[in-house]
Amino acid sequence: MKRIYILDGHGYVFRAYFALMTGGRGDRRDVRLSRADGMPTGALYIFSRMLMRLHEEVNPAHVVVVFDAGSKSFRNDMYPEYKANRPEAPEDLEIQFPFFRRVVEAMHWPVLEVPGVEADDVIATLAVQAKAQGWAATVYSADKDLMQLVGDGIEMVDSLNNKRYEPADVEAKFGVPPAQVADYLALVGDTADNIPGMAGVGAKTAATLLGTYGSIDAMIAANPVVPRLKVKQPFGDAEVVARLKLSRALVELKTDVPVEKNFEAFAVAPWQARDVSKLTALFRELEFTGMATRVEQAATAPAAPVAGDSAAPTATGTATEPVTHTSVASAFAIARDGDTALAELCAGATAAGSVACIIETTKERSDRCTMVGIALATAAGPAVYVPIAHYYLGAPSALSAATLAPLRALFANPSVSKLTYDAKLARQVLLRAGYDVAGTIDDLMLMAFLAASDVPAPSVEALARDLAHTQVAPRGEAMGKSNDSFAAVDVASAAAHVGAVARALPAAAAALRPTLDAHALMPLYRDMELPTCELLAVMEMRGVAIDAAHFAAMSQRIAQTIAELQASVFNDVGGEFNLGSPKQLGHILFDTLGLPTAGVRKTKTGGYSTDHEVLEQLADTHPAVSKILKHRELLKLKGTYLDALPPLVHPVTGRLHTNYHQAVAATGRLSSQDPNLQNIPIRTEEGREIRRGFVGGPGKVLVAADYSQIELRILAHLSQDAMLIKAFGEGIDIHTQTAALVFGMPPAKVTSHERRVAKAVNYGLMYGQSDFGLARALDIPRRQAKEYSDKYFQTFPTIREFMQTVVDQARRDGGITTIFGRWRPIPNLDSKNIPARKAAERIAQNTPMQGAGADIIKLAMIACERRIAQGKLPAAMILSVHDELVFEVEPKHADAVAAAMKHEMEGVAKLSVPLEVEVGIAANWADA
């Protein structure tokens, strides 16, 4: 049977954008989000990767990508309020819109747009036509409306979440089969699309009603009593029925759109037979150099088999044979009470002194997930899967303490080295489960990151495939229809997947070692990254206390201020409107108030942009504009921190637990997520007030220790600039000193404005900032910015020479190594594309400072934790934020701990200038 692959282009665009914004499972890396000229390209990058992945893993013989032809459709004629509440596309995404279709066309994939209908209707028509002609159809989308189509030759794939939908999956999601999805959606309504629905009817009630009556028409005919609704017999109310029928008409997919009925028109030639020059040129135009190279290499590789006739895709699109339980029986054993498989493996691992292990968990946040199972493997014998907490009908009962005793002893044995992927999470899960954990836990994820820090962290399955030459299905495919939790996966399938990964770990690690050795990275891995990993596991489990009452009170005050600002804006402009609507705001600012539009970019719909940059530009033209800016700022603070943080407090510990990522930023910097505690603002009073909500636990205070100007001090050490070394050596304010030298005046005459300019110059030029970037940062003409830049390098010629030397060395070596041995590959240094080459040079210039700064804070963390343990100090490190460490301490010991931490932090590295640490003690973070 032939198969047509239908892609929801509009859905792919927005999923790419929001995947980038929310960062998905470890994907938010040091990927450039804009071209060198400033044009955002992040969504395009993810979109292109999604298409390339589909091509590489499926290689479809027949494919079509469907886009919306416009913002209006026949549904707007039916109901003018349809989708009226939807905000305009984010402006950084809107800029990228013209390129998405170009990427598809450059791949030589057919594109369809039909005016007057939505992409969903075109997709539905194609799928139904395919079925009628005896073809199978695979729809790539996550749109719930399209789930009406699933069944009998039509399947749906959400590739971003590795999920394939068949009828049973749809029913599991909604509680109704695909044939009733339209009725279901009509009953519950949809605020995003402004579908009215039936008031008071939620998901459970809708599923119950449809399970009883089968359809909306049958409900109207029966007019049953519906408990819990204000109107007990709503189907007898003419107004309710009319609204419900309208909702049904709006959600129903149109399947008679005039489209191409000869599906051979959607045939695509093999990759090697296509002219890829257009695609590579476009990728280079977008500065996706790595993808351009990948296309060129793929075009000359042996042709891969195409999919489309009989192959059915997996969740990621790979047409592979599933691993059957019988095929893995000889390779994997499942631990059961009364057998010896686990005990024998643990004995062998103890004798060998090493074991590979993969721990699977539930899907909750990292501070709440629990262990589902453990796979262990050694060089000899089969891998053993230990089911811990599988929950499904017929799942095996929990293993006895006697059966698990050898496993507990293995993890508690310091003489046995363990190898896993994501050692931090593995350590936490084991500790929460009551296991003693001793000895080294090697981390394949950290090893892979150190070997190639310029690319996103590969999954463990990808490492198994690329390094150990072991084909392992993605985790989502192994989960199958149990996508919500690994605990629902049957034990045999779990053993096959996790066991295969565990067996591949040693070979993958062995394949990485030559790369690590070639760049002398093993000492960095052993002495810095692994101890940091172990410490982060403990720090995350400690968490930080917050004052919920403080957040609640502040939220109320901010809400009142937001309301007052809104009322004041309405008074200033002479009427009410939706402040959150860019379209309405643009109308008020430019049409009603007549504010100047010179230099203001237009949106796709023809209106003027109202983004932050535009409002800043207009701030002095009307009193309402500055209030709107403040309104936006406070809304963000309230939503991101004041209202979001208290619900994340752990119900057992009563504390907030962040998740640190060690293998994200190419510079080696730690990042914080879920919640992100590194972006809490500090320069505004509201931001400082948020920090006052972070407090010591009962009877404790906080000690905050912060490196002063660490990256400028590293620059002084690396460049050996005499003026910088003298300033730091004598304790002179470096920004005042720079202003005095650049502006030619005594330090005592330097004003706050001149110091601010010098500070921007010091940091901006240190990171290779262009004249254009400096001009934007200081809001000055580009000519003036160039004057500042020229004066700076005339004053500090050693720095310019150092920067050029760094770039030259990086070009010769293909990357940069920091003073602590961290290696960062830097492609494009020899690119003929000037913007790409300039961007690579800027990365080369700032990496020595940023990378060394990241290394120093990690060394400080290790040293401070060691001092606390050795001195048995009553203190606990609880936060690491940029160049700052925060400790929780008993008040009577706070001064001693502060002095000890300052001493340790200032002594972790010997530079040509002293490291300086500022320490504060207070009941809350802001005051400390």
Side-chain angles (χ1 to χ4, degrees):
M1 178 184 294
K2 290 187 175 182
R3 181 177 295 272
I4 176 74
Y5 293 83
I6 310 168
L7 275 66
D8 177 2
H10 182 80
Y12 258 44
V13 167
F14 279 88
R15 298 214 74 199
Y17 178 79
F18 288 107
L20 182 77
M21 294 300 101
T22 58
R25 188 179 176 182
D27 279 342
R28 183 86 185 241
R29 294 281 314 249
D30 191 22
V31 174
R32 273 193 300 123
L33 304 184
S34 61
R35 281 194 317 202
D37 62 5
M39 175 191 149
T41 56
L44 274 164
Y45 180 80
I46 301 298
F47 177 84
S48 301
R49 283 187 58 190
M50 291 166 74
L51 294 188
M52 288 293 293
R53 180 185 178 192
L54 181 61
H55 159 71
E56 290 169 353
E57 297 188 351
V58 177
N59 196 14
H62 299 84
V63 64
V64 59
V65 182
V66 183
F67 287 101
D68 278 325
S71 57
K72 300 293 184 182
S73 74
F74 70 93
R75 292 180 179 85
N76 296 101
D77 298 331
M78 187 187 305
Y79 184 51
E81 291 81 10
Y82 178 65
K83 293 190 177 181
N85 294 338
R86 282 200 173 184
E88 291 187 18
E91 297 193 18
D92 58 333
L93 173 60
E94 196 170 17
I95 295 170
Q96 302 173 63
F97 276 155
F99 289 86
F100 291 106
R101 178 165 180 158
R102 284 182 60 190
V103 170
V104 179
E105 291 173 338
M107 289 185 68
H108 298 283
W109 280 5
V111 173
L112 267 184
E113 292 178 351
V114 180
V117 297
E118 296 178 63
D120 286 359
D121 300 307
V122 179
I123 292 169
T125 300
L126 288 169
V128 170
Q129 284 284 345
K131 178 180 173 181
Q133 296 179 38
W135 286 53
T138 298
V139 176
Y140 279 85
S141 177
D143 192 330
K144 62 181 182 297
D145 294 341
L146 290 171
M147 292 185 185
Q148 302 173 44
L149 302 171
V150 173
D152 192 18
I154 303 175
E155 64 182 356
M156 186 166 161
V157 173
D158 173 3
S159 58
L160 205 60
N161 286 326
N162 292 332
K163 178 67 179 175
R164 181 174 63 190
Y165 286 93
E166 294 178 344
D169 304 293
V170 175
E171 188 159 3
K173 182 177 179 67
F174 296 113
V176 299
Q180 293 180 331
V181 165
D183 284 332
Y184 171 90
L185 296 174
L187 283 166
V188 300
D190 188 338
T191 54
D193 288 350
N194 212 22
I195 305 295
M198 177 175 282
V201 173
K204 187 173 181 181
T205 301
T208 301
L209 286 170
L210 288 168
T212 304
Y213 297 96
S215 70
I216 286 175
D217 289 339
M219 293 175 212
I220 295 171
N223 191 22
V225 172
V226 184
R228 297 183 299 279
L229 295 188
K230 291 182 180 179
V231 179
K232 295 302 180 184
Q233 288 186 286
F235 298 100
D237 185 312
E239 185 177 338
V240 171
V241 168
R243 186 167 61 246
L244 192 55
K245 287 186 174 181
L246 172 64
S247 299
R248 181 64 172 77
L250 291 172
V251 300
E252 187 173 18
L253 295 174
K254 188 177 178 67
T255 59
D256 58 354
V257 176
V259 295
E260 174 63 61
K261 292 183 172 58
N262 178 10
F263 283 7
E264 291 300 337
F266 302 129
V268 291
W271 196 250
Q272 288 73 12
R274 298 181 220 170
D275 177 7
V276 298
S277 60
K278 186 176 179 182
L279 182 60
T280 56
L282 178 57
F283 280 164
R284 295 190 191 282
E285 176 186 347
L286 295 170
E287 298 176 13
F288 301 160
T289 310
M291 273 199 281
T293 302
R294 197 160 128 198
V295 170
E296 290 168 343
Q297 292 172 344
T300 58
V306 296
D309 294 336
S310 60
T314 63
T316 58
T318 309
T320 56
E321 288 297 320
V323 179
T324 63
H325 297 170
T326 55
S327 67
V328 302
S330 60
F332 311 107
I334 298 172
R336 295 182 173 84
D337 279 334
D339 68 20
T340 61
L342 178 59
E344 289 173 356
L345 184 141
C346 291
T350 301
S354 64
V355 67
C357 58
I358 287 289
I359 300 176
E360 274 295 349
T361 68
T362 52
K363 203 178 179 181
E364 293 93 348
R365 292 162 42 88
S366 62
D367 63 333
R368 305 180 195 192
C369 65
T370 56
M371 188 167 12
V372 172
I374 306 175
L376 303 106
T378 60
V384 173
Y385 181 70
V386 186
I388 302 293
H390 284 264
Y391 298 108
Y392 57 87
L393 189 63
S397 56
L399 296 174
S400 67
T403 300
L404 292 175
L407 180 65
R408 291 184 177 275
L410 184 69
F411 281 109
N413 189 338
S415 299
V416 178
S417 66
K418 295 88 179 174
L419 171 64
T420 191
Y421 180 93
D422 195 350
K424 175 168 67 73
L425 181 60
R427 186 181 294 273
Q428 290 174 332
V429 172
L430 286 166
L431 290 173
R432 281 200 293 266
Y435 283 69
D436 291 328
V437 182
T440 302
I441 302 183
D442 278 305
D443 192 337
L444 184 66
M445 180 179 73
L446 289 180
M447 295 171 69
F449 172 70
L450 286 176
S453 61
D454 63 321
V455 295
S459 66
V460 67
E461 293 89 357
L463 291 174
R465 179 192 66 227
D466 298 338
L467 299 176
H469 308 294
T470 300
Q471 290 297 326
V472 181
R475 185 176 187 272
E477 181 182 337
M479 293 177 69
K481 298 176 182 179
S482 307
N483 198 41
D484 290 336
S485 174
F486 205 84
V489 177
D490 71 274
V491 169
S493 296
H497 174 75
V498 190
V501 173
R503 284 171 62 91
L505 290 181
L512 277 173
R513 289 183 190 278
T515 302
L516 296 174
D517 289 337
H519 294 287
L521 287 166
M522 286 307 293
L524 184 78
Y525 170 71
R526 288 287 176 199
D527 301 334
M528 184 186 296
E529 295 299 340
L530 277 185
T532 300
C533 176
E534 184 173 347
L535 175 53
L536 289 175
V538 177
M539 280 178 59
E540 288 181 12
M541 294 180 73
R542 289 171 182 159
V544 60
I546 67 170
D547 183 346
H550 173 88
F551 279 97
M554 187 177 175
S555 180
Q556 289 183 347
R557 292 197 305 273
I558 294 292
Q560 179 63 32
T561 304
I562 289 170
E564 291 169 356
L565 283 168
Q566 178 174 282
S568 182
V569 169
F570 291 164
N571 182 64
D572 288 344
V573 304
E576 296 186 3
F577 65 100
N578 182 359
L579 261 176
S581 166
K583 183 177 181 179
Q584 293 185 34
L585 177 58
H587 173 73
I588 292 292
L589 295 181
F590 302 112
D591 297 334
T592 304
L593 300 179
L595 299 190
T597 58
V600 177
R601 184 178 57 81
K602 283 197 171 186
T603 65
K604 184 182 177 183
T605 56
Y608 287 103
S609 169
T610 58
D611 65 10
H612 183 83
E613 185 178 342
V614 170
L615 294 185
E616 287 276 11
Q617 176 183 326
L618 298 172
D620 295 331
T621 64
H622 194 279
V625 179
S626 60
K627 296 172 186 176
I628 293 167
L629 280 167
K630 189 65 176 178
H631 182 272
R632 283 186 179 179
E633 175 192 334
L634 295 182
L635 269 179
K636 182 177 180 180
L637 287 179
K638 186 174 185 295
T640 305
Y641 301 110
L642 299 177
D643 298 338
L645 293 182
L648 296 179
V649 169
H650 195 286
V652 176
T653 67
R655 295 165 74 92
L656 199 63
H657 302 266
T658 188
N659 183 18
Y660 288 103
H661 292 292
Q662 198 175 346
V664 170
T667 57
R669 279 281 184 191
L670 298 176
S671 65
S672 166
Q673 184 185 35
D674 199 22
N676 183 350
L677 300 184
Q678 295 187 331
N679 282 353
I680 297 175
I682 194 171
R683 290 187 173 88
T684 64
E685 178 52 41
E686 291 87 1
R688 289 188 289 273
E689 190 65 19
I690 289 172
R691 289 188 172 215
R692 288 190 180 92
F694 288 79
V695 297
K700 303 287 181 66
V701 296
L702 299 181
V703 171
D706 191 2
Y707 279 111
S708 172
Q709 299 170 335
I710 188 170
E711 290 175 7
L712 281 172
R713 293 172 189 269
I714 295 168
L715 174 62
H717 170 77
L718 292 172
S719 68
Q720 287 295 295
D721 184 87
M723 292 185 184
L724 282 180
I725 291 175
K726 181 176 186 294
F728 282 123
E730 296 178 2
I732 299 171
D733 179 79
I734 189 62
H735 302 312
T736 300
Q737 175 82 349
T738 300
L741 292 169
V742 169
F743 293 111
M745 60 178 65
K749 296 284 189 180
V750 172
T751 65
S752 60
H753 167 72
E754 288 156 346
R755 185 184 184 278
R756 183 178 74 87
V757 170
K759 183 176 182 179
V761 170
N762 271 331
Y763 284 111
L765 299 184
M766 176 176 71
Y767 296 136
Q769 190 175 47
S770 64
D771 298 337
F772 176 74
L774 184 61
R776 288 190 63 179
L778 290 172
D779 193 22
I780 58 175
R782 189 169 182 177
R783 174 187 52 78
Q784 189 175 359
K786 186 176 188 310
E787 290 176 5
Y788 288 158
S789 174
D790 290 343
K791 284 183 180 179
Y792 178 86
F793 285 121
Q794 289 167 10
T795 306
F796 300 103
T798 312
I799 294 179
R800 169 167 276 174
E801 293 171 9
F802 164 71
M803 293 293 191
Q804 188 57 52
T805 300
V806 166
V807 172
D808 292 343
Q809 186 69 42
R811 186 169 281 117
R812 286 193 297 270
D813 297 344
I816 288 289
T817 299
T818 71
I819 54 177
F820 297 98
R822 183 177 302 279
W823 163 252
R824 180 179 185 178
I826 304 176
N828 297 328
L829 285 166
D830 289 318
S831 174
K832 294 180 181 178
N833 182 304
I834 294 176
R837 186 174 69 250
K838 292 293 185 183
E841 289 173 353
R842 286 194 294 274
I843 292 173
Q845 289 171 341
N846 66 51
T847 293
M849 283 72 73
Q850 289 186 333
D855 294 339
I856 285 175
I857 195 68
K858 289 178 180 177
L859 290 172
M861 292 168 63
I862 296 165
C864 289
E865 187 74 3
R866 185 186 301 120
R867 176 70 178 273
I868 290 171
Q870 291 175 349
K872 298 183 179 178
L873 300 178
M877 190 187 309
I878 57 173
L879 287 175
S880 176
V881 179
H882 303 307
D883 302 323
E884 178 183 13
L885 299 179
V886 181
F887 305 85
E888 194 173 63
V889 189
E890 293 179 8
K892 63 182 179 180
H893 298 290
D895 288 330
V897 169
M901 298 305 98
K902 177 180 173 67
H903 175 78
E904 293 296 332
M905 292 175 70
E906 290 180 343
V908 294
K910 300 301 179 185
L911 305 180
S912 301
V913 298
L915 291 176
E916 184 177 315
V917 173
E918 299 170 353
V919 183
I921 303 169
N924 64 70
W925 187 12
D927 294 341

